[in-house]
Amino acid sequence: MSPHVLILGGTTEARELAAVLAACPGVRVTTSLAGRVNRPGALAGDVRVGGFGGAEGLADWLREQHVDALVDATHPFAEGITLNAARAAAASGVTAVVLRRPGWLPGPEDHWHMVPSLPAAADLLPRFGSRAFLTTGRLGLAAFAHLTDLHFVVRSVEPPEPPMPQHTEVLLARGPFTVADETTLLREYLIDVLVTKDSGGAATAAKLTAARHLGLPVVVVRRPQLPEGADAVPDVARVLDRLGINSP
Ligand code: NAP
């Protein structure tokens, strides 16, 4: 019988994995999206959209749809669905793999300040100046809302949600970005400090290189920990290894 693989998606890696699995003869692949993004783009294989109703709902779905393997390829900061995936896989006896792109690492010329959360990032900001570039996503801006003396430039794919800081300029854009463009942006907006999550990946890493070239401090929010016992791999090839699937 052909194996059915459910990918929890919302990332570039999930899209790549869906394309590879859909090209494997005899493999059925379904990608699940949360439904947060308006135009998610075409995906290979089947697609379902929307929450499952917690870990129990996901476990039911795995059983009902005869899923053989679950690949959690969600964003490194999508903590809730990752926990649900681990619980649901354990409850239903389905093989589970977590696909996580590696985090970023600072070099000797970087001025990074690692913090555990967005509120901790907000606590640090005033010491670096008055103009911050926030690339932490459209949610969570409330953590910075009390910093009324600072000016924020916020970049996100979809419009950010209030509450947000009083002095906020929004730039809607989707990566990848080049180092030249990021350098121009940091200069033109007179940025004193960059704030980012440790999302990893090449598409949005150019801002870190640009900040290094300009000698700017970067506040980096650490990733949440993976659930205990999670089988995490860094790329699509290793997911295939784990699932025992040969790509054509
Ligand atoms: P989250 O806080 O971990 O998840 C909240 C709830 O959304 C989950 O409990 C689940 O609802 C639903 N959900 C999340 N991902 C889902 C998926 N792939 N398929 C079906 N339901 C899903 O997640 P989040 O941080 O809001 O992220 C939502 C999605 O956006 C993720 O799929 C992630 O890959 C993508 N994303 C997130 C970020 C980020 O910074 N967090 C950045 C880029 C992309 P139920 O409990 O009802 O099942």
Side-chain angles (χ1 to χ4, degrees):
M1 213 183 72
S2 42
H4 183 192
V5 181
L6 174 65
I7 303 171
L8 298 174
T11 59
T12 308
E13 293 75 18
R15 179 178 298 280
E16 284 169 13
L17 179 63
V20 171
L21 287 175
C24 294
V27 175
R28 181 179 163 209
V29 56
T30 305
T31 298
S32 174
L33 300 173
R36 307 268 200 278
V37 175
N38 286 331
R39 286 169 285 106
L43 274 161
D46 295 335
V47 178
R48 69 160 300 285
V49 181
F52 295 94
E56 282 180 21
L58 176 53
D60 290 344
W61 202 93
L62 295 175
R63 287 189 204 100
E64 285 160 13
Q65 300 296 321
H66 305 288
V67 172
D68 300 288
L70 171 63
V71 182
D72 170 6
T74 57
H75 191 270
F77 283 82
E79 205 173 354
I81 187 71
T82 289
L83 187 59
N84 289 350
R87 288 183 176 154
S92 55
V94 164
T95 301
V97 182
V98 180
L99 170 56
R100 278 290 178 283
R101 63 178 92 131
W104 291 314
L105 289 172
E109 289 162 27
D110 285 312
H111 306 283
W112 287 16
H113 302 263
M114 304 297 295
V115 293
S117 63
L118 291 175
D123 286 347
L124 278 192
L125 280 196
R127 74 167 72 165
F128 298 119
S130 61
R131 297 182 62 87
F133 182 35
L134 287 193
T135 62
T136 50
R138 73 194 171 93
L139 303 174
L141 295 185
F144 302 92
H146 62 289
L147 297 172
T148 48
D149 290 344
L150 268 60
H151 183 93
F152 289 90
V153 178
V154 173
R155 182 172 67 197
S156 56
V157 176
E158 304 268 327
E161 286 184 12
M164 59 180 99
Q166 190 181 345
H167 306 294
T168 298
E169 252 174 289
V170 176
L171 309 175
L172 295 182
R174 187 194 291 272
F177 305 103
T178 65
V179 174
D181 286 346
E182 297 290 59
T183 306
T184 303
L185 187 154
L186 293 173
R187 280 207 180 108
E188 279 185 357
Y189 285 87
L190 304 170
I191 297 299
D192 298 313
V193 56
L194 164 67
V195 186
T196 183
K197 292 177 180 170
D198 178 16
S199 299
T204 57
K207 63 193 170 197
L208 299 168
T209 310
R212 182 188 315 138
H213 291 166
L214 297 174
L216 291 183
V218 183
V219 179
V220 182
V221 181
R222 271 189 219 103
R223 293 175 171 200
Q225 286 201 329
L226 287 173
E228 217 182 306
D231 181 15
V233 297
D235 53 36
V236 167
R238 262 164 270 199
V239 174
L240 298 183
D241 283 351
R242 286 291 200 280
L243 302 184
I245 293 173
N246 295 317
S247 81

